[in-house]
Amino acid sequence: MSDDEQTPRTAGGTTDGTTGGPRPEEIRFFGTTWVDHTGHYALRRAGLAVGSLAAAVAACFVLRFAFQGLQIAETGGLVNGLVIVMFAVCSAIACRKTWEGFQRRPDDPAREDSLRSLKAIGFIGSLLAYSARCLTEAPGEKLRRAEYETALVRYEKRRGSRTGNPAARKKPKRGK
């Protein structure tokens, strides 16, 4: 085993054996800068909002070209209508599910996995939700901040209950 494998993470979250408390969960594109808003946090948020909005616009152009291909193929009004409704419904569902994912953890991960293909079809909705969320905070920051603060409170409680000299504690008597 290497040195890295021999030093497991401690309860405090560090690998050097010191107890530094719980570590914040990283957010994609932000790392842990969401905790104290350092490292060009605001600039990253603005850039990601603009970037995801631009990706959504580009995706709309791609879908427009695909729809024009259907018109050239003369598939008929019913197929064209179904394609439009399918992308609209899938985008709405993907937007809602993405937005909910920023606010709370999924109740049923298996159900979220089953919706993965639907979210892939409605990727424009996911991009729009991501862009809108970047305008107010890093996507998922509020959820992770609440979890992190709860973990800090629990850590402080555990740490506070362990203060004092452990050698001075009375040892329980063993029954004969």
Side-chain angles (χ1 to χ4, degrees), residues 99 112 117 157:
W99 193 267
E112 291 296 316
S117 60
K157 275 185 173 179

Side-chain angles (χ1 to χ4, degrees), residues 40-58:
H40 305 291
Y41 171 81
L43 186 62
R44 272 192 238 178
R45 265 189 33 219
L48 285 170
V50 169
S52 59
L53 188 61
V57 168

Side-chain angles (χ1 to χ4, degrees), residues 20 93 110 113 123-124 151:
I93 292 171
D113 287 343
F123 64 98
I124 293 174

Side-chain angles (χ1 to χ4, degrees), residues 19-77:
T19 56
R23 287 188 159 174
E25 186 178 346
E26 292 187 3
I27 297 177
R28 183 182 297 157
F29 304 120
F30 293 94
T32 58
T33 61
W34 61 267
V35 176
D36 52 2
H37 296 178
T38 58
H40 305 291
Y41 171 81
L43 186 62
R44 272 192 238 178
R45 265 189 33 219
L48 285 170
V50 169
S52 59
L53 188 61
V57 168
C60 286
F61 279 117
V62 170
L63 287 178
R64 179 175 176 240
F65 293 138
F67 187 72
Q68 285 177 346
L70 287 175
Q71 286 180 336
I72 291 171
E74 296 178 2
T75 56

Side-chain angles (χ1 to χ4, degrees), residues 5 10 19 21 36 39 52 62 79 82 98 102 105 116 127 131 134 142 145 152 160:
E5 293 175 277
T10 62
T19 56
D36 52 2
S52 59
V62 170
V79 173
L82 286 175
T98 302
F102 297 143
R105 301 278 182 188
R116 186 174 294 161
L127 288 170
S131 178
C134 282
K142 186 176 182 181
R145 186 172 302 282
L152 281 175

